[in-house]
């Protein structure tokens, strides 16, 4: 039996020079030497820790009209002038649909042991529901086989934002309860077909981002700016889709299939690591994630959340909350930045979130604030607040102003600095017994970065979009050394 999350009852009071390295170091059989068991050091990760990269279908696949794929809301949105930087779209992206074998080769060269990818819902159900497309899963079948043949464990995400356009057109997407139902049918279908080889399924990726940016701020597909009450209902429907999918995957998947989610919780970092501030950060973790993670991990909305929403609170039934709180086998969290620095207060609600000073450092984008300790506190909070005992870091990484040097290599020392410091904090968590089982670096390749188009590059492999050539950046060599040593290097 898979281990299930336990819940707690909460008493709430509220090397050498640059020339020593060439891109060819990262290709070919030499990388396989990484399979040797590394010697443990004080900077080591636990034996068997999974190392991988993460991607998402619409961001890399291209081939948007191949083999009967239907349109998604991102196809539509990206083709509306002015919505995406430089009016870019994912029609071709990294053409991973055709180049996946080589891309798995990049993973092999890194010595990676796992890979997180997402499945395009409209490839499988072009209309979102009804009859499945017979060819819809062929690509993923082949990808999974290729991964397994190379000793790489596949982790599949069922929803990374490419909602079938037909569902947006006919029922209003996540505004309707029909969408969670359709999502569960799709999830069950995929689990039945792939769970002989895929053991870990994530339901939805980053509830906060696709709902708030897509239905609230209108900067992601489908580009809506719903009023608060309707937005609250869309949030609730996304949670319901998660819960129904958990049940559908359990019903359709082979024994041993594990299911969880991949959410970008707002990581609450105690401003000072003393007991009172740590306690405040725990309270804040529940309340500042009440709309998503807390609801799914506890099967209820907190009293403070409902009180704050007032008349705009979501409408829900007890049965729905039970579905939303369906027990999970593991939890994935995407962590790029600290969500909040938190301090203790004497009165209610027991914590205060401190505004970020204007001088707080960040990477290429303003939101990519540099707070490596988020990779320590995120998993520790999941473990201590909700008793999660199987945790994955489902995304972590940064975009950088990458420019190939004369020798064709991107010397992305800023990305390495970012990764080294974040991984140091993750290592600290594992050394203290926080049950983090794996890490997926975002991303394998430069790719279609949503509203930022191709301008923001998150890959550890540089993609020349004119030729589709992939070139390992210096950070790929860094990551390869981390994987080989199973330690921060
Ligand atoms: C995540 N924000 O998105 C997604 O899961 C990926 O698809 C994406 O490429 C990656 O992070 C890098 O952006 C986010 O504005 C998008 O805070 C925006 C935000 C956070 C995450």
């Amino acid at each position: 039996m898979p281990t299930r999350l336990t819940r707690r009852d909460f008493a709430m009071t509220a090397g050498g020079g640059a020339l020593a390295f060439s891109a060819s170091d990262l290709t070919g059989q030499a990388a396989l030497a990484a399979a040797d068991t590394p010697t443990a050091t004080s900077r080591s990760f636990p034996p068997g820790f999974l190392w991988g990269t993460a991607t998402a279908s619409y961001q890399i696949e291209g081939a948007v009209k191949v083999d009967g794929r239907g349109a998604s809301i991102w196809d539509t949105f990206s083709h509306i002038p002015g919505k995406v930087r430089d009016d870019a779209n994912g029609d071709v992206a990294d053409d991973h649909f055709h180049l996946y074998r080589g891309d798995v080769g990049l993973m092999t060269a890194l010595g990676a042991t796992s890979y997180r990818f997402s499945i395009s819902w409209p490839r499988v159900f072009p209309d979102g529901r009804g009859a499945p497309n017979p060819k819809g899963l062929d690509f993923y079948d082949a990808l999974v086989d290729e991964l397994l043949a190379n000793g790489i464990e596949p982790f599949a995400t069922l929803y990374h934002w490419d909602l079938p356009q037909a569902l947006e057109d006919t029922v209003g997407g996540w505004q309707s309860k029909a969408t969670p139902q359709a999502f569960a049918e799709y999830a069950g279908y995929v689990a039945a077909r792939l769970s002989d080889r895929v053991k870990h399924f994530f339901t939805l990726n980053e509830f906060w981002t696709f709902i708030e940016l897509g239905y609230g701020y209108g900067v992601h597909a489908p580009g809506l700016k719903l009023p608060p009450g309707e937005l609250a209902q869309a949030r609730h429907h996304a949670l319901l889709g998660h819960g129904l999918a958990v049940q559908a995957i359990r019903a359709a998947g082979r024994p041993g299939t594990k299911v969880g989610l991949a959410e970008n919780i707002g990581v609450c970092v105690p401003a000072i690591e003393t007991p009172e501030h740590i306690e405040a950060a725990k309270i804040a973790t529940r309340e500042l994630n009440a709309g998503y993670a807390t609801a799914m991990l506890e099967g209820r909305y907190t009293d403070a959340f409902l009180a704050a929403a007032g008349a705009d609170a979501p409408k829900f039934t007890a049965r729905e909350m039970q579905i939303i709180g369906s027990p999970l086998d593991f939890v994935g969290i995407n962590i790029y930045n600290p969500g909040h620095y938190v301090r203790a207060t004497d009165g209610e609600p027991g914590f205060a979130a401190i505004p970020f000073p204007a001088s707080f450092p960040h990477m290429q984008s303003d939101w990519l604030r540099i707070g490596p300790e988020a990779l320590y506190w995120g998993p520790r909070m999941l473990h201590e607040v909700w008793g999660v005992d199987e945790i994955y870091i489902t995304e972590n990484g940064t975009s950088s102003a990458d420019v190939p040097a004369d020798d064709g290599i991107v010397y992305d020392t800023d990305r390495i600095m970012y990764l080294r410091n974040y991984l140091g904090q993750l290592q600290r968590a594992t050394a203290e017994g926080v049950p983090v089982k794996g890490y997926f670096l975002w991303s394998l390749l430069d790719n279609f970065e949503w509203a930022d188009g191709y301008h923001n590059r998150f890959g550890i492999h540089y993609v020349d979009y004119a030729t589709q050539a992939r070139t390992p950046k210096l950070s790929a060599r860094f990551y390869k050394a981390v994987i080989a040593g199973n330690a921060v290097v």
Side-chain angles (χ1 to χ4, degrees), residues 164-198:
Q165 181 65 41
L167 285 174
E168 191 63 34
D169 293 341
T170 55
V171 301
W174 293 105
Q175 291 178 265
S176 163
K177 278 198 174 73
T179 294
Q181 271 155 13
F183 179 64
E185 279 164 38
Y186 149 70
Y189 177 80
V190 173
R193 289 276 307 270
L194 294 184
S195 63
D196 57 333
R197 287 156 293 154
V198 177

Side-chain angles (χ1 to χ4, degrees), residues 58 74-93 448-455:
Y58 188 71
W74 269 98
D75 294 281
T76 307
F77 186 74
S78 64
H79 281 269
I80 301 172
K83 296 297 185 191
V84 173
R85 185 164 179 160
D86 303 328
D87 287 336
N89 59 62
D91 288 2
V92 178
F448 177 75
E449 176 55 20
W450 308 115
D452 290 322
Y454 295 97
H455 182 265

Side-chain angles (χ1 to χ4, degrees), residues 30 60 82 132 135 147 213 228 231 239 258 264 272 284 287 306 336 338 359-360 374 385 416 427 435 440 451 477-478:
I60 63 167
K135 287 175 148 302
L147 290 165
L213 299 189
L231 182 60
L239 299 180
K258 291 187 169 190
N264 54 334
I272 307 168
E287 290 304 344
L306 292 174
Y336 290 88
S359 55
F360 204 96
V385 174
I416 294 173
Q427 192 275 340
F440 297 90
R477 185 177 168 83
F478 164 77

Side-chain angles (χ1 to χ4, degrees), residues 55-56 59 116 160-161 205-206 208-209 213 220 264 334 336-337 367-368 395 442-443 447-450 452 458:
T55 63
Q59 295 183 270
R116 173 176 178 242
H160 203 124
W161 310 350
N205 178 70
E206 292 199 358
W208 181 89
T209 311
L213 299 189
H220 275 194
N264 54 334
N334 299 351
Y336 290 88
N337 54 22
W367 65 269
L368 265 168
E395 291 180 21
W442 185 274
S443 183
N447 60 50
F448 177 75
E449 176 55 20
W450 308 115
D452 290 322
F458 273 85

